[in-house]
């Protein structure tokens, strides 16, 4: 814009007028900015695999998405209407001073109207997904519980997933007794160091940290091919090599710390349970049971890295895999027959 009259409409200061419209529109949206950000963030998070947390009211109780979403939509509509009304009011003032400023108000109204339509469409799509998920869950749980779960997350994948892959379980032997003897700051520092180190090494080998329970960490790989089994075993050896000096540096004379690792391939269920602000991951299934039982056998067998039968079978098919030493057959929970186990040198 440049100073001077518009065709048929004289505007002596168009730049100042445009700046005033922009500033007043921002002031109109500012009181509701936090609500708009939370609504937009929730709409985006519904497309991911991690469920979005619902807001809480002032008393700390949970607010359902069905009750909160219309409130967010009405707040958004009120903000948009106020933002659109301000340019019109400014136009009336400008009409008295220099002429009608509709060339600026009309584009502003179009953009704001399109924004409202898009957010409304996303909100309606979210409600449809939640209703569809609630109807599906009613086949397994009571309707009220199905409705509550569905409106916590509108995407069924956010409830969890059934996996056919490879699991690595890491247990820090003696961690509970050690935490009771040392300063809390030292304990927290070691726990953070363990989690960070394990996560970094897992990512370097194509895995992710799926679950943590006390002194046991579970890492997962999406497949069961010989290549992935070799990557899991390589990750186990690197983990043991890097964690051992860290544990030796921090252990107490009366409470030694040791790392034991178990590797197995198979099916497991990775889910998310709990309230909106207290989500917890759960890991269940045959492969999870096997690695947990193998970890308990590690100290008794003095084997830092144990390998289950399914993982050993795939490692034998892999090229340049580390050699495995048989340990014999052992009874594992939920297994009708004894299972062969192998161990690998770290």
């Amino acid at each position: 814009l440049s100073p001077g009259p518009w065709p048929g409409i004289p505007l002596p200061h168009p730049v100042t007028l445009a700046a005033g419209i922009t500033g007043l529109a921002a002031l109109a949206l500012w009181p509701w900015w936090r609500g708009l950000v939370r609504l937009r963030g929730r709409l985006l998070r519904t497309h991911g695999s991690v469920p979005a947390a619902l807001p809480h009211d002032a008393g700390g109780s949970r607010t359902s998405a069905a009750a909160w979403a219309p409130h967010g939509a009405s707040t958004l509509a009120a903000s948009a209407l106020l933002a659109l009304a301000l340019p019109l009011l400014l136009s009336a003032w400008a009409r008295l001073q220099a002429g009608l400023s509709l060339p600026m108000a009309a584009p502003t109204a179009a953009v704001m109207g399109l924004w409202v339509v898009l957010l409304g469409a996303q909100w309606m799509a979210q409600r449809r997904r939640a209703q569809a998920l609630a109807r599906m869950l009613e086949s397994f749980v009571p309707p009220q519980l199905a409705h509550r779960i569905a409106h916590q997350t509108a995407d069924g994948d956010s409830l969890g997933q059934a996996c056919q892959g490879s699991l690595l379980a890491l247990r820090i032997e003696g961690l509970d007794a050690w935490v009771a003897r040392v300063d809390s700051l030292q304990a927290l520092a070691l726990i953070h160091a363990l989690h960070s180190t394990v996560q970094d090494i897992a990512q370097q080998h194509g895995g992710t940290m799926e679950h943590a329970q006390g002194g046991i960490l579970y890492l997962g790989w999406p497949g069961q091919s010989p290549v992935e089994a070799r990557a899991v075993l390589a990750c186990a050896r690197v983990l043991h090599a890097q964690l051992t000096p860290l544990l030796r540096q921090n252990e107490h004379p009366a409470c030694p710390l040791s790392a034991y690792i178990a590797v197995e391939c198979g099916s497991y269920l990775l889910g998310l349970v709990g309230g909106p602000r207290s989500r917890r991951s759960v890991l269940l299934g045959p492969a999870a049971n096997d690695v947990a039982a193998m970890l308990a056998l590690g100290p008794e067998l003095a084997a830092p890295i144990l390998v289950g039968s399914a993982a050993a079978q795939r490692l034998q098919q892999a090229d340049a895999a580390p050699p495995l030493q048989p340990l014999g057959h052992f009874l594992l929970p939920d297994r009708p027959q004894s299972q062969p186990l192998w161990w690998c040198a770290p």
Side-chain angles (χ1 to χ4, degrees):
L1 296 175
S2 60
W6 283 32
I9 303 176
L11 290 176
H13 302 288
V15 177
T16 304
L17 185 61
I21 293 175
T22 304
L24 290 176
L27 289 176
L29 292 175
W30 180 257
W32 292 276
W33 183 250
R34 183 179 179 182
L36 294 176
V37 172
R38 293 172 65 181
L39 176 61
R40 181 61 179 169
R42 178 168 175 79
L43 292 175
L44 292 176
R45 286 195 297 268
T46 54
H47 299 286
S49 60
V50 179
L54 295 179
H56 285 56
D57 57 19
S61 60
R62 181 174 59 251
T63 305
S64 65
W68 182 81
H71 176 72
S74 61
T75 302
L76 177 61
S79 302
L81 291 176
L82 183 57
L84 294 177
L86 288 175
L88 296 179
L89 294 176
L90 192 58
S91 298
W93 175 82
R95 183 182 181 90
L96 300 176
Q97 301 295 324
L100 192 63
S101 60
L102 285 179
M104 297 180 189
T108 304
V111 172
M112 295 297 297
L114 180 60
W115 185 35
V116 171
V117 170
L118 291 177
L119 286 182
Q122 290 185 350
W123 176 71
M124 292 299 298
Q126 177 185 354
R127 285 187 61 85
R128 287 194 296 268
R129 289 195 301 269
Q131 292 171 358
L133 180 59
R135 288 193 296 269
M136 182 187 68
L137 293 177
E138 287 178 0
S139 303
F140 312 105
V141 296
Q144 292 183 351
L145 182 58
H147 181 81
R148 175 183 173 184
I149 296 174
H151 283 82
Q152 290 177 1
T153 167
D155 190 354
D157 292 339
S158 300
L159 299 176
Q161 56 182 339
C163 305
Q164 293 285 338
S166 305
L167 272 182
L168 183 154
L170 167 68
R171 177 183 179 183
I172 306 301
E173 182 70 17
L175 182 62
D176 293 337
W178 177 84
V179 168
R181 286 180 172 269
V182 300
D183 181 74
S184 59
L185 182 60
Q186 181 183 1
L188 290 174
L190 178 61
I191 292 173
H192 278 281
L194 290 174
H195 281 246
S196 300
T197 303
V198 170
Q199 181 65 39
D200 292 342
I201 296 176
Q203 291 179 351
Q204 294 172 7
H205 292 81
T208 57
M209 185 183 298
E210 303 285 16
H211 181 62
Q213 182 177 359
I216 302 179
L217 305 179
Y218 294 89
L219 311 180
W221 279 256
Q224 306 181 55
S225 66
V227 176
E228 288 177 322
R230 184 177 59 186
V232 176
L233 187 59
C235 179
R237 301 181 73 184
V238 174
L239 279 174
H240 192 276
Q242 294 196 15
L243 293 182
T244 298
L246 180 63
L247 297 177
R248 294 289 179 268
Q249 180 181 356
N250 288 273
E251 65 182 0
H252 192 274
C255 300
L257 299 174
S258 303
Y260 291 93
I261 300 174
V263 176
E264 182 60 305
C265 299
S267 60
Y268 58 93
L269 177 66
L270 179 64
L272 290 169
V273 297
R277 291 196 175 182
S278 60
R279 291 288 187 183
R280 295 292 182 271
S281 62
V282 293
L283 190 65
L284 304 170
N289 294 337
D290 288 347
V291 293
M294 291 160 59
L295 285 178
L297 294 174
E300 299 179 8
L301 301 174
I305 302 177
L306 287 175
V307 181
S309 58
Q313 181 179 1
R314 288 162 177 78
L315 285 169
Q316 292 171 358
Q317 302 171 1
D319 297 332
L324 301 178
Q325 304 296 329
L327 287 171
H329 288 68
F330 299 85
L331 288 174
L332 300 179
D334 300 326
R335 293 289 187 178
Q337 299 179 351
S338 60
Q339 302 294 319
L341 296 181
W342 284 260
W343 74 279
C344 177

